[in-house]
Amino acid sequence: MRHWLVTSIAALAAMPLWAFAGQETPQPSETPIIPELSVVQQFEIDRSDRMTVPVRINNSEPVDFIVDTGAERTVISGDLAQKLALEAGPELRLATITGPATAPSFYIEELALQSHKVEGIEAPALERGNLGGNGLLGIDSLEDSKVYLDFRTQHLEVLPSALGKRPGKLEQGMIVVSAKKRAGRMILSSAEVDGVKVDIILDTGAQASMGNFALRDRLRKRHLRFDYVPVKMKSVTGKELHGDFSQIKAIKIGSFDVQNLPVTFADNYAFHALKLTDRPAILFGMDALKLFDRVIIDFGNRRVAFDLPRGARRESASRLALASR
């Protein structure tokens, strides 16, 4: 049996709206601020926050797939695979946030996006209710592309990556950060949390951000009081993962800070698969990415561009913070 990695959190609650400092925002306190919750909560899928692109499968009518930069393989819902009468493939072994799992697969002869086509995909099939849609477009379909997210217009595109070229007109005026790849995923390794160096994995398939226990333990050592709320999450296979929901005071990335970001700390199996259990790391979900007006994840050139919200100061003191509304 083959072993693929599917890391998306398929069911996390939508987080509060966020804004850029320079607008009226509350100042961070010395200790993390967390919601007043006293019971374990089951997060639910919020489909309104999922950004998708249309794809054609074997010349089918267009269907919307979630673009998932955290999933190694493209995944299809079982009911869509049956509706399209796709040929059944072998059983595949997956690595989800809750651990190893197995799933049936189907052959996709051709998956066509606006920018390019991908041929010969062996796609794991999972339940639509756990996926939150028709399927996930993984990095096997994105490796020579760049993902363009425009949160001002709620628009997402997968565009060709001009390999070996400098940032073009699309990135003009944006903050460009170099990235590295690990198992195909884009990782920012120049970030810091409270002086602790942190690897950030960009995961557009996750609605909320997640940190590993290595980061949680380092923060606990630095702060006598580290508050959290126990929560449960659901993986793409429907299994549950327990975690500690809290808030990170500030994450420094290059010339800007992300402040008061809600993060769930958990023993996410994705960290094991990426060999990031001992190094502090965070999966940046859509709650973190949508702090910006635009984000461009360029797989071909290993860089990420961030467009600060309109009216924001473009200086070293730039900070993203929790909105007061």
Side-chain angles (χ1 to χ4, degrees):
M1 266 187 306
R2 299 172 190 174
H3 183 250
W4 303 120
L5 181 63
V6 181
T7 63
S8 291
I9 302 170
L12 286 180
M15 292 297 178
L17 294 175
W18 301 76
F20 194 83
Q23 302 169 5
E24 293 185 1
T25 57
Q27 295 299 313
S29 64
E30 291 302 316
T31 57
I33 303 170
I34 57 176
E36 295 181 358
L37 302 175
S38 58
V39 296
V40 173
Q41 292 194 334
Q42 174 63 58
F43 289 155
E44 301 294 341
I45 294 175
D46 179 10
R47 290 178 175 81
S48 65
D49 198 33
R50 313 300 288 273
M51 294 177 70
T52 61
V53 293
V55 303
R56 293 180 184 269
I57 298 175
N58 299 349
N59 294 316
S60 72
E61 291 296 315
V63 292
D64 289 334
F65 267 45
I66 297 164
V67 176
D68 190 344
T69 60
E72 183 177 353
R73 299 291 299 183
T74 294
V75 179
I76 191 170
S77 67
D79 61 333
L80 178 60
Q82 293 178 2
K83 178 181 177 181
L84 298 176
L86 299 183
E87 179 184 351
E91 188 174 68
L92 300 180
R93 186 171 175 80
L94 310 177
T96 73
I97 64 169
T98 54
T102 58
S105 70
F106 291 88
Y107 290 110
I108 298 175
E109 295 178 11
E110 180 184 271
L111 186 149
L113 295 90
Q114 279 190 320
S115 59
H116 66 282
K117 296 178 180 179
V118 184
E119 297 180 344
I121 297 175
E122 200 171 72
L126 299 171
E127 291 184 15
R128 177 188 295 269
N130 293 327
L131 285 175
N134 294 310
L136 308 175
L137 198 64
I139 57 178
D140 58 337
S141 300
L142 302 170
E143 56 186 353
D144 293 325
S145 305
K146 58 184 176 183
V147 177
Y148 173 55
L149 301 107
D150 188 335
F151 293 101
R152 295 172 304 189
T153 61
Q154 287 297 299
H155 177 68
L156 184 152
E157 280 188 83
V158 177
L159 304 168
S161 176
L163 302 181
K165 292 190 177 181
R166 295 180 178 180
K169 290 183 179 179
L170 197 60
E171 293 91 351
Q172 189 171 4
M174 301 177 71
I175 297 174
V176 180
V177 180
S178 296
K180 62 182 180 180
K181 280 188 178 180
R182 180 172 297 189
R185 285 155 198 80
M186 296 284 276
I187 298 178
L188 306 179
S189 57
S190 58
E192 289 186 7
V193 174
D194 201 9
V196 176
K197 290 194 175 296
V198 177
D199 287 326
I200 295 179
I201 306 103
L202 302 178
D203 189 351
T204 60
Q207 289 174 276
S209 300
M210 182 177 290
N212 64 4
F213 283 157
L215 176 58
R216 182 200 64 180
D217 294 343
R218 292 287 292 273
L219 294 178
R220 278 179 171 172
K221 288 181 180 179
R222 289 170 177 260
H223 300 280
L224 294 177
R225 182 184 176 192
F226 186 79
D227 295 328
Y228 63 87
V229 172
V231 294
K232 289 190 288 188
M233 294 154 285
K234 189 183 292 182
S235 78
V236 290
T237 60
K239 292 185 177 180
E240 290 183 349
L241 175 69
H242 293 257
D244 298 334
F245 179 78
S246 188
Q247 191 175 76
I248 292 180
K249 181 179 177 181
I251 304 172
K252 182 176 179 58
I253 307 173
S255 62
F256 58 88
D257 292 349
V258 176
Q259 293 190 324
N260 299 335
L261 180 70
V263 172
T264 299
F265 295 96
D267 191 23
N268 186 336
Y269 189 74
F271 293 124
H272 292 267
L274 293 173
K275 303 186 186 303
L276 288 174
T277 54
D278 297 327
R279 292 168 54 93
I282 301 175
L283 283 167
F284 249 31
M286 291 294 277
D287 61 333
L289 295 174
K290 70 180 182 181
L291 292 171
F292 304 90
D293 275 357
R294 296 181 300 153
V295 176
I296 299 174
I297 305 172
D298 189 338
F299 284 91
N301 292 295
R302 301 187 182 189
R303 61 183 176 234
V304 183
F306 298 95
D307 189 12
L308 302 183
R310 293 176 180 177
R313 301 185 307 272
R314 295 180 181 274
E315 56 189 45
S316 60
S318 295
R319 296 178 295 176
L320 294 153
L322 181 62
S324 57
R325 57 189 178 190

